[in-house]
């Protein structure tokens, strides 16, 4: 059984925004809604790194926990989706989400009543698979076509991976093994030390093992 | 799924009855349980037609398109 | 590095149509779709009538991709030279989806922002929708027949009154090979060499400099081959933004241990991925490269055997580099300290094969031709040319700029770099099936027929310069922009003066709006706009930077009233009275019935190219072979590009030129040029014998033992002709028919291909086996010399490294160097900041097309200037504020300040993709209604200054000066 996840390799991401437009194009997403965006740290100086961020499809999703109308559900594959017919657009999920995933459109498609919109892992929503209804409210359902999210499939450097977490782990592990290090950001240095350096020192006594 | 269908059924009935009498003032939420419409499994439709294993395998295989080592070698 | 992400500025001008899901498409016919996509106001209502809250029965519908409903057409992205394949899904004539082509060995399904949103071309909301003309300052619709007649009559009148050279034709690197080739023929038949295209302002210095060094002016290896490199030096290339998918290969190589160095005035996104960044001062590539070479020679790291066998003149370069480019001089000029330069030398020398990548950071200078040769020399010294993993990986710009350079509208050459001497014209007269004297009669004279035309970088001077100073009878009075942006050429302020003065301005383009708006700003009439089709609305071949040729299938028929470029050319050819001669060898087709003009079939045009372009091996790539490659992409190896088994067994992907001989002899193409370790019929080669056999008593031919592997000739030899064939006793291996055709001919002009076939059978290179030239004696600086830019921030260095002397009749125009530099020697007191320009990943070229794509436009909504915090603080400028960027031309640009360490103090950067603002004013009112891009901004080239390369007339856009002030 698949457990869908995204993983963005900061050593590879070149902030080309291919994932952003792949998503917009695939789902016909209007101006002002960015289900996915690229975040850059240390822009323009050594240490510059980017990652592409969308809904992380949390296993214990805060949005689900706080939603006052319980419009969220999680599929068997671990994709967090919601019912726009039920959503009241309150934005509580926006508060709860640590990644800024929920989007609140202004006008036109996806947003007539300001309902929340977010990355669906290209899995549509609670309408018949690949129906017009589903496309109009949630975008394409690539999973039901046997395809993976457009952003990951089109990533220019194959930095962004999307699919079964187990498979992604294999792909990423191979890269890390070949290059001998991970992302060099996101705490890798803290956890393992810089390449060629000793890792951060473990507590002398009584630390967690 | 059955549960949510039931919820919708109740809601529909309530709505129908509401036309005859007073409108309900407060919506009753079931805390922590999905209240929306049921969804289909991603492998419910063609070409998988419910064959989850085929769907799983297809996706696993397609996932390797994101792994250039598979095509290139190292 | 997003400057802004405005949410309030949704593009509201045209209602955003509700694109239809696959399931509903069958109920929507094409006409309805088109109406919705731009012609009918209020189309957006379709979406809003169905709010999400509305409870509707969930109609279970059949899967979108029902059997037979979807056609899949394989095409190639039209935004850069990487050549990313795309599968376009079409339903009922509407482009509804795009899917990645994982099978493509070039991009493996990957796309950047532009490629991933290419489907917008199926909507074309902001395109020009019908022919238009400017009447009394207003845009007015007219029919195609009217347009052809009116424009045709005016052009014929100009030709009659002022001669065929009074019109300048600006072709396009976005045309496919067949269209580019037709354009060269079309203008030739009009009777002029006054034509050019984007390559002039993109890589002309590369083409000239590199071809003169070793034979062909193209990328020697490929994006894919960078997987084999051990170290890559990017100098003047920001591949992460300009060629994002190339980074897939480089980052894979890096993951496997390759080193990566970036030399650039900016800490680019490419630099962010590198092991080392060297911040050079803009325009000082030669001091840097020769500084590196200094350390290589000093440590004896050069490849002595290779230099002995295959390079002419390296000893003199060595002497000069050791004497002149000592570390102190290098640091003084380019600002990079000795330790860093030495480290680069060591990395390049000790991690061989090492490769060198350059782009417009190196080409767009007054000494661009010398800079690229310095790069070549470095690679020759290291023995890196003709080696897998090495090479001069020159990344071209547009999707087909390589092809348009190879077979398209160049003012000094017929297709295939044949030149424009009488012999070349006779060769093509034979290929085109017309009489040489007839073509000659079309020109003003034989002299004008053999005189290179003007260049796109200077057309404004062709209009404005005093008549007695130009090298043709009439000034330019008519300009035809056929797939070319105006804002990509420098000196924009003078361009509008030139536009004002013209008799006629014709723009043929899917997105003619930048030119249209500039013209409408200064004119009341005499401007015509003709809507051309995109490359997704026709088929044809395109040549990626690595010389691989890919075939695009037609995705949709031309939207709105657009016509394909070749249909428009044919319509005009008929109007001009040479329709029959123009299409002599082609099948004529009408892919859209009577709704569109008839047009020459692309396959038959390619076959004519195959029959005529022997010089660079465009002969083996028949439409059938190319289509087979597109179909069986999965069989090609990613690192070597070679097919293992399958129907294309042994071929290299896209038959990268040269693919010599006829298609029947099945040359596999040449993935890496000049590679002596392979047999000729295996894609091997050697340096070209094109510069004589001897100079000053020294041989120019390769030394004994250096030759394509397995060849019968084991030493250097000149190019093949019928005499050499006979001398070698190989003549009798030609068939009787071949002998008849080859008699008196050489490998370039033998239309039978017999000479190429037999020489290659013997493993000998048809173009000879010679040495590369470290000294290009026919150029202004045989050994590349650093010369300060015309507008230099360093008056002290102008004295040491002055520019060239002025030139009188150079590409038909007087061209200033020293006069201009002297005049502006101290201008850096007023304009102290270096202004350079470059690309953003979201946009391409002049940007009109990509800024009309809402999916891209949203990501970069305003033009900006990158300025260092020190310079900003000194001027009281804060991040995000509007500033004025002023240059010595008197022009000023209103852009937002992006205060960043990305640029060093004293340098600023503006991307060049914007247009639609004129010195602070939005030009919206001058656009034809509904045909304005979503995002408009100040064009950097409105303010760029004078300066041209001393060989090719490349414009200087990478180094000029400016002052920045709070707005």
């Amino acid at each position: 059984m698949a457990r869908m996840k995204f993983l963005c390799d900061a050593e590879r991401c070149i902030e080309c925004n291919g994932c952003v437009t792949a998503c917009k194009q695939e789902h016909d997403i209007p101006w002002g809604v960015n289900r996915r965006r690229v975040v850059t740290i240390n822009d323009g100086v050594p240490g510059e790194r980017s990652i592409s961020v969308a809904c992380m499809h949390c296993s214990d999703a805060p949005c689900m926990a706080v939603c006052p109308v319980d419009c969220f559900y999680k599929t068997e594959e671990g994709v967090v989706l919601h019912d726009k017919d039920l959503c009241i657009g309150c934005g509580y999920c926006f508060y709860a989400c640590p990644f800024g995933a929920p989007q609140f459109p202004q006008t036109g498609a996806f947003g007539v009543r300001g309902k929340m919109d977010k990355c669906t892992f290209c899995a549509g929503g609670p309408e018949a698979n690949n129906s017009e209804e589903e496309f109009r409210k949630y975008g394409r359902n690539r999973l039901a076509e046997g395809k993976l999210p457009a952003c990951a499939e089109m990533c220019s450097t194959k930095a962004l991976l999307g699919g079964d977490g187990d498979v992604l782990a294999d792909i990423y592990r191979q890269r890390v093994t070949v290059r001998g290090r991970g992302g060099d950001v996101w705490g890798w240095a803290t956890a393992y030390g810089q390449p060629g350096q000793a890792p951060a020192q473990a507590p002398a006594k009584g630390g967690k093992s | 799924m059955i549960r949510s269908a039931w919820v919708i059924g109740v809601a529909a009935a309530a709505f129908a009855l509401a036309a005859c009498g007073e409108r309900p003032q407060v919506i009753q939420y079931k805390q922590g349980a999905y209240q929306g419409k049921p969804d289909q499994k991603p492998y419910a439709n063609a070409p998988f037609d419910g064959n989850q294993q085929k769907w799983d395998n297809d996706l696993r295989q397609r996932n390797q398109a994101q792994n250039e080592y598979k095509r290139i070698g190292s | 590095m997003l400057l802004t992400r405005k949410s309030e500025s949704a593009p509201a001008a045209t209602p955003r149509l509700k694109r239809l899901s696959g399931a509903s498409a069958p109920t929507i016919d094409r006409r309805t779709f088109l109406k919705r996509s731009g012609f009918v106001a209020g189309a957006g209502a379709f979406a809003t009538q169905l709010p999400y809250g509305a409870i509707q029965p969930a109609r279970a519908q059949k899967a979108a991709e029902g059997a037979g409903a979807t056609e899949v057409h394989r095409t190639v992205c039209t935004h850069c030279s990487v050549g990313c394949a795309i599968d376009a899904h079409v339903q009922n004539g509407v482009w509804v989806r795009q899917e990645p082509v994982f099978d493509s060995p070039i991009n493996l399904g990957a796309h950047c922002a532009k490629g991933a949103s290419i489907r917008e071309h199926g909507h074309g909301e902001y395109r020009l929708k019908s022919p238009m003309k400017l009447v009394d300052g207003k845009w007015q619709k007219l029919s195609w027949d009217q347009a052809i007649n009116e424009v045709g009559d005016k052009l014929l009148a100009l030709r009659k009154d002022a001669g065929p050279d009074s019109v300048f034709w600006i072709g396009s690197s976005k045309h496919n090979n067949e269209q580019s080739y037709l354009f060269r023929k079309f203008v030739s038949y009009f009777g002029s060499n006054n034509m050019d295209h984007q390559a002039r302002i993109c890589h002309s210095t590369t083409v000239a400099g590199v071809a003169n060094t070793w034979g062909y002016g193209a990328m020697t290896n490929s994006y894919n081959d960078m997987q084999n490199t051990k170290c890559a030096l990017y100098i003047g290339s920001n591949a992460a933004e300009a060629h994002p998918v190339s980074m897939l290969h480089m980052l894979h190589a890096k993951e496997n241990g390759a080193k990566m160095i970036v030399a650039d005035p900016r800490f680019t996104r490419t630099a962010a991925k590198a092991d080392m960044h060297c911040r050079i001062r803009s325009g000082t590539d030669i001091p840097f490269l020769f500084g590196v070479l200094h350390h290589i020679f000093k440590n004896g790291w050069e490849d002595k055997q290779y230099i002995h066998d295959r390079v002419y003149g390296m000893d003199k370069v060595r002497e000069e580099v050791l004497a002149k480019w000592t570390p102190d001089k290098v640091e003084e000029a380019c600002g990079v300290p000795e330790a860093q330069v030495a480290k680069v030398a060591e990395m390049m020398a000790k991690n061989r094969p090492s490769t060198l990548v350059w782009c417009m950071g190196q080409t767009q200078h007054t000494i661009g031709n010398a800079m690229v040769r310095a790069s070549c020399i470095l690679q020759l010294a290291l023995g890196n040319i003709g080696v897998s993993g090495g090479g001069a990986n020159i990344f071209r710009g547009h999707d087909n700029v390589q092809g348009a350079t190879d077979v398209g509208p160049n003012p000094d050459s017929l297709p295939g770099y044949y030149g424009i001497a009488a012999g070349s014209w006779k060769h093509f007269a034979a290929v085109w099936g017309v009489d040489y004297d007839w073509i000659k009669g079309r020109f003003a004279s034989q002299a004008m027929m053999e005189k290179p035309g003007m260049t796109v970088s200077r057309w404004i001077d062709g209009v404005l310069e005093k008549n007695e100073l130009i090298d043709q009878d009439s000034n330019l009075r008519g300009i035809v922009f056929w797939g070319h942006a105006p804002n990509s050429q420098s000196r924009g302020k003078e361009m509008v003066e030139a536009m004002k003065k013209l008799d006629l301005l014709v723009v043929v383009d899917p997105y003619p709006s930048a030119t249209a708006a500039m013209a409408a700003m200064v004119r009341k009439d005499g401007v015509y706009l003709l809507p051309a089709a995109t490359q997704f609305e026709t088929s044809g071949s395109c040549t990626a930077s690595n010389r691989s040729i890919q075939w695009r299938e037609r995705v949709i028929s031309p939207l709105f009233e657009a016509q394909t470029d070749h249909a428009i050319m044919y319509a005009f050819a008929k109007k001009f009275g040479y329709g029959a001669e123009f299409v002599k060898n082609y099948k004529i087709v009408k892919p859209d019935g009577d709704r569109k003009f008839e047009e020459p079939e692309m396959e038959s045009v390619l076959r004519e190219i195959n029959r005529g372009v022997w010089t660079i091996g465009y002969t083996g790539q028949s439409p059938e072979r190319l289509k087979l490659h597109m179909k069986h992409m999965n069989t090609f190896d990613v690192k070597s590009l070679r097919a293992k088994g399958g129907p294309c067994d042994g071929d290299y992907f896209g038959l990268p030129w040269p693919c010599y001989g006829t298609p029947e002899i099945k040359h596999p193409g040449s993935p890496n040029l000049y590679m002596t370790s392979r047999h000729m019929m295996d894609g091997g080669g050697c340096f070209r014998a094109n510069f004589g056999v001897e100079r000053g008593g020294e041989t120019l031919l390769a030394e004994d033992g250096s030759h394509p592997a397995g060849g019968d000739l084991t030493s250097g030899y000149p190019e093949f002709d019928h005499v050499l064939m006979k001398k070698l006793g190989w003549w009798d291996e030609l068939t009787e028919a071949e002998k008849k055709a080859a008699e008196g001919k050489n490998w370039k002009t033998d239309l039978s291909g017999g000479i190429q076939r037999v020489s290659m059978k013997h493993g000998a290179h048809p173009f000879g086996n010679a040495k590369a030239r470290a000294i290009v004696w026919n150029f202004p600086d045989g050994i590349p010399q650093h010369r300060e830019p015309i507008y230099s921030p360093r008056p002290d260095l102008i004295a040491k490294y002055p520019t060239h002397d002025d030139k009188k009749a150079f590409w038909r125009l007087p061209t200033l160097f020293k006069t201009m530099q002297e005049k502006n020697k101290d201008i850096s007191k007023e304009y102290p900041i270096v202004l350079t320009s470059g690309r953003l990943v979201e946009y391409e070229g002049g940007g009109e097309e990509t800024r009309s794509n809402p999916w891209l436009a949203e990501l970069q909504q305003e033009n900006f200037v990158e300025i260092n915090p020190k310079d900003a603080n000194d001027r009281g400028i804060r991040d995000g504020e509007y500033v004025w960027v002023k240059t010595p031309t008197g022009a000023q640009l209103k852009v937002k300040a992006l205060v960043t360490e990305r640029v060093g103090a004293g340098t600023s950067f503006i991307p060049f993709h914007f247009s639609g603002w004129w010195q602070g004013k939005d030009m919206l009112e001058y656009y034809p209604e509904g045909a304005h891009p979503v995002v408009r901004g100040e064009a950097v080239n409105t303010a760029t200054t004078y300066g041209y390369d001393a060989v090719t007339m490349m414009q200087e856009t990478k180094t000029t000066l400016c002052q920045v002030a709070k707005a």
Side-chain angles (χ1 to χ4, degrees), chain C residues 532-574:
Chain C
T534 68
Q535 291 301 323
F536 304 110
E537 295 160 1
T538 183
S539 58
S541 68
C542 62
T543 308
S545 194
N546 70 313
R547 298 165 283 103
S548 281
I549 304 181
Q550 299 188 80
W551 185 267
R552 285 193 188 105
E553 292 174 11
R554 189 170 100 135
V555 175
I556 47 175
S557 63
L559 291 176
F560 317 113
E561 290 182 42
Q563 306 270 8
T564 61
D565 292 290
H566 46 297
I568 302 170
M569 278 181 238
Y570 184 32
F572 275 121
K574 283 189 275 191

Side-chain angles (χ1 to χ4, degrees), chain C residues 726-744:
Chain C
K726 288 169 190 160
K727 261 193 205 160
L728 290 167
W730 296 354
W731 182 254
D732 284 331
E733 292 173 45
L734 271 70
T735 65
E736 284 312 309
E738 282 172 343
K739 277 183 190 170
K740 223 174 123 193
E743 186 59 53

Side-chain angles (χ1 to χ4, degrees), chain A residues 154-171:
Chain A
M154 291 190 194
C155 174
S156 64
T157 57
K158 306 206 181 279
L160 181 63
L161 307 173
D164 183 359
D166 183 35
V167 179
L168 302 195
D170 276 344
I171 296 173

Side-chain angles (χ1 to χ4, degrees), chain C residues 583-589 599-602 604-605:
Chain C
V583 297
K584 182 115 192 265
N585 298 322
Y586 314 137
K587 193 173 148 192
I588 301 298
V589 293
E599 60 184 44
E601 182 212 39
M602 294 283 87
S604 56
V605 181

Side-chain angles (χ1 to χ4, degrees), chain A residues 12-13 15-17 21 24-26 28 32 34 43 85 110 136 140 142 145 147 154 158 179, chain C residues 1 11 19 21 50 52 97 99 108 110-111 113 119 255-256 267 269 273 842 855 858 902:
Chain A
R12 291 256 189 123
C13 179
E15 200 193 345
C16 80
N17 282 321
T21 63
K24 287 195 161 257
Q25 179 271 129
E26 180 69 350
D28 254 340
N34 287 286
D43 196 21
D85 293 348
F110 292 102
R136 218 154 32 73
R140 302 272 180 199
R142 290 176 69 84
E145 296 174 323
K147 299 170 186 165
M154 291 190 194
K158 306 206 181 279
R179 70 188 179 217
Chain C
M1 195 207 47
R19 253 82 67 173
S21 74
L50 298 165
Y52 299 121
R97 306 275 299 264
E99 286 292 337
L108 291 89
H111 288 301
R119 190 173 62 87
E255 208 155 273
N256 285 276
F267 182 82
R269 288 185 196 169
K273 287 282 168 287
E842 290 86 359
W855 295 319
E858 188 188 348
R902 196 179 288 286

Side-chain angles (χ1 to χ4, degrees), chain C residues 14 127-129 132 139 924-932:
Chain C
T14 308
R127 265 168 74 168
L128 179 74
K129 295 172 186 88
M132 292 211 159
W139 292 109
L924 183 61
E925 59 182 303
Y926 302 115
Y927 283 86
E929 205 187 326
H932 57 275

Side-chain angles (χ1 to χ4, degrees), chain C residues 710-883:
Chain C
D712 290 355
L713 304 179
T714 58
S715 63
Y717 45 89
E719 60 180 357
F720 275 79
D721 62 2
H722 67 119
V723 180
L724 184 59
M725 293 295 284
K726 288 169 190 160
K727 261 193 205 160
L728 290 167
W730 296 354
W731 182 254
D732 284 331
E733 292 173 45
L734 271 70
T735 65
E736 284 312 309
E738 282 172 343
K739 277 183 190 170
K740 223 174 123 193
E743 186 59 53
K745 299 284 166 94
N746 62 26
W747 68 285
K748 295 180 283 196
T749 52
D750 162 23
L751 292 179
S752 75
I755 294 178
Q756 292 200 357
R757 180 179 67 81
V758 173
S759 66
M760 288 195 300
K761 208 182 94 198
H762 288 280
H765 204 308
F767 74 24
N769 178 17
K771 287 180 176 169
R773 297 192 298 172
I775 301 175
V776 177
W777 59 79
N778 48 325
F779 275 20
D781 291 323
I783 297 175
Q785 301 294 317
H786 173 61
R787 295 175 184 277
E788 279 294 307
I790 306 264
Y791 292 86
S792 167
R794 295 286 299 271
D796 57 321
L797 292 182
I798 291 178
K800 274 193 195 169
Y801 309 107
T803 191
H804 297 283
D805 292 330
D806 296 351
K807 285 168 180 278
K808 212 170 162 193
F810 182 50
W811 301 86
R812 303 189 184 184
L813 287 164
T815 306
L816 303 176
F817 290 87
K818 207 161 247 171
T819 312
M820 213 62 168
Q821 193 179 52
E822 279 299 310
K823 205 174 103 188
N824 295 296
K825 202 170 56 187
D826 296 313
I827 199 127
S828 58
K829 284 182 195 135
E830 264 173 90
Y831 299 94
I833 299 180
V834 170
L835 173 63
T836 189
S837 65
R839 286 191 184 221
L840 298 176
V841 68
E842 290 86 359
Y843 296 144
E844 191 244 339
E848 210 72 356
E849 179 184 19
T850 36
R851 280 181 287 107
S852 294
N853 179 340
W855 295 319
L856 292 170
E858 188 188 348
L859 297 169
Q860 292 288 353
Q861 299 179 18
E862 265 180 292
N863 203 358
F864 57 87
V865 58
E866 286 181 1
I867 181 170
N868 186 272
K870 178 182 180 304
D871 294 327
N873 289 336
D874 286 350
R875 289 162 179 76
I877 293 166
R878 288 166 186 257
D879 188 55
E881 281 180 348
Y882 275 116
V883 293

Side-chain angles (χ1 to χ4, degrees), chain A residues 139-208:
Chain A
R140 302 272 180 199
N141 189 341
R142 290 176 69 84
L143 287 191
E145 296 174 323
K147 299 170 186 165
L148 289 158
C151 52
E153 293 206 324
M154 291 190 194
C155 174
S156 64
T157 57
K158 306 206 181 279
L160 181 63
L161 307 173
D164 183 359
D166 183 35
V167 179
L168 302 195
D170 276 344
I171 296 173
Y172 190 59
R173 187 158 44 222
Q174 182 174 11
R175 287 186 198 175
V176 171
T177 308
V178 170
R179 70 188 179 217
R181 62 182 199 279
D184 279 5
V185 273
W186 329 129
W188 276 73
T190 317
Y192 308 113
Q194 294 291 353
Q197 286 175 13
Q201 214 156 18
K205 252 186 263 171
K208 270 201 246 173

